[in-house]
Amino acid sequence: MSKQFRRSAASAASPPTLADAAAPAAAAAVSVVSVRRALQLLDAFALGESQLSLAVLSQRCALHKTTVLRLARTLAQAGYLVQREDGPWRLGPATGWLGARYQAGFDVQNVLEPALRALTQSSGESAAFYVREGPLRTCLVRVEGPQALRHHARMGEGLPLDKGSPGRVILAFSGEPGADYEAIRQRGYHWSIGEREQGVATVSAPVFGPHWRLLGSVCISGPASRLPVKKLQALAPSLIGAANRLSHALAGAALTSSPASSSARPGQWHP
C-alpha cells in the first residue's frame, strides 16, 4: 500500500473535529447576520424619504459601501429596493405589497376604517387604532378629524407603550401590574394630555377579540386646547361604545363573557 493511499485512508477514517462540527453553525450565523443587515437597509428609509444614496445607506446602517451595494442588489432582485437611473435607491413595490397584506390582516377596510370614521364624525377630532408590536405600539389605521390644527400620528411608526393613553390602555389590559393600571382596568378607558407629545390630548379604550384576547386600543386625539380633561371625560362613553362595537365586529359570537370574569391577555393582534 502506498504512503499516499495510507494517508488518504487514515484521513477518511478519522472522526470529525470540533471545527467540522462548528462549520454549519457558523454558516447559519452568517446567514442570520446577512438577513439582519438587509432589513437594516429597509429600515434606513425615514417617513417621507423617497430615495437614499449609497453613501447615506452606508452611514445609517454602519456598513461598508460594498456590503450595502451587495445587499441592495439582492433586495432589488426581489423587488424590495429599486435603483434610480441617477444612482440613489428607493423602496420597491414589494414593500408596499407587504404593508398592504399586513393591514389586510386586521380587516381594515370592512371594520376599522368605518368605525373610526364614525367616531371622528361624532367627536369632531381624529381617531386611530393602535396595536402592540413587541415593546412598542403602532398606529395601524387613522382617520383625520374635520377641524383645523389636527394631530398627525405617523402610521406604522413605533411609539412607546408607557407614554400616551393608547399605549397605557394596551399595557393595562395586558395585565401590567400597578395601581395606575388597575385604575385604568376599573375605569375602562384612559386619558392623557402632553404625556408623549406636548400639546396633544388623547383618550383611549381597549378593543378585544375572541375570548377577550386584547387586540389593541382605539383612540380620539386632538390639540389640548380643544380637549381639556372635562372634554376627554365627556368623550369617554361614546369612545367605549365604539370600542365595544369594534370588539364585537372583530370577535363575532366568541365575545361572550365580561372582561372581569375572563383573563384578558395580549394576543397576536388578529381576530
Side-chain angles (χ1 to χ4, degrees):
M1 183 181 293
S2 68
K3 291 182 179 179
Q4 183 178 359
F5 178 81
R6 285 198 299 270
R7 283 197 300 268
S8 298
S11 176
S14 60
T17 64
L18 289 175
D20 294 330
V30 171
S31 298
V32 170
V33 170
S34 297
V35 172
R36 287 177 178 171
R37 287 176 172 176
L39 293 175
Q40 274 185 274
L41 260 65
L42 300 179
D43 286 338
F45 289 83
L47 190 69
E49 289 182 329
S50 59
Q51 61 185 42
L52 293 176
S53 67
L54 185 67
V56 172
L57 285 170
S58 173
Q59 181 182 16
R60 291 187 181 181
C61 299
L63 297 172
H64 196 275
K65 287 184 180 179
T66 55
T67 302
V68 171
L69 184 59
R70 184 179 69 252
L71 292 170
R73 286 174 174 171
T74 302
L75 288 168
Q77 290 175 358
Y80 285 93
L81 284 179
V82 173
Q83 188 174 21
R84 293 167 51 94
E85 291 184 0
D86 54 348
W89 293 84
R90 65 174 176 84
L91 293 175
T95 58
W97 178 229
L98 191 64
R101 283 178 287 175
Y102 173 75
Q103 282 197 327
F106 295 87
D107 205 1
V108 172
Q109 298 294 331
N110 295 331
V111 178
L112 293 177
E113 281 189 5
L116 294 180
R117 200 165 299 282
L119 193 57
T120 296
Q121 291 172 353
S122 64
S123 67
E125 302 292 347
S126 300
F129 181 74
Y130 287 85
V131 297
R132 182 175 187 168
E133 295 290 0
L136 301 172
R137 61 178 167 99
T138 297
C139 179
L140 181 68
V141 189
R142 181 175 178 81
V143 175
E144 295 291 350
Q147 301 193 56
L149 297 174
R150 296 175 298 185
H151 163 54
H152 294 277
R154 296 175 177 177
M155 289 174 57
E157 180 183 10
L159 300 172
L161 278 169
D162 61 349
K163 294 187 184 302
S165 69
R168 288 195 179 274
V169 163
I170 290 174
L171 284 174
F173 288 90
S174 295
E176 188 75 11
D180 290 343
Y181 291 108
E182 180 60 32
I184 295 173
R185 286 189 285 270
Q186 293 295 325
R187 190 166 54 241
Y189 72 96
H190 184 56
W191 59 265
S192 66
I193 298 177
E195 188 173 19
R196 186 190 68 83
E197 188 176 347
Q198 188 68 29
V200 174
T202 62
V203 57
S204 305
V207 175
F208 299 96
H211 311 295
W212 293 101
R213 176 166 55 90
L214 181 66
L215 297 181
S217 63
V218 62
C219 166
I220 294 174
S221 65
S225 58
R226 277 204 311 261
L227 295 176
V229 175
K230 287 186 177 181
K231 178 65 174 178
L232 293 172
Q233 292 174 336
L235 288 172
S238 61
L239 176 69
I240 292 174
N244 289 340
R245 289 189 293 274
L246 263 177
S247 296
H248 284 281
L250 293 171
L255 203 64
T256 53
S257 58
S258 66
S261 60
S262 179
S263 56
R265 62 189 188 281
Q268 295 297 316
W269 314 124
H270 293 270

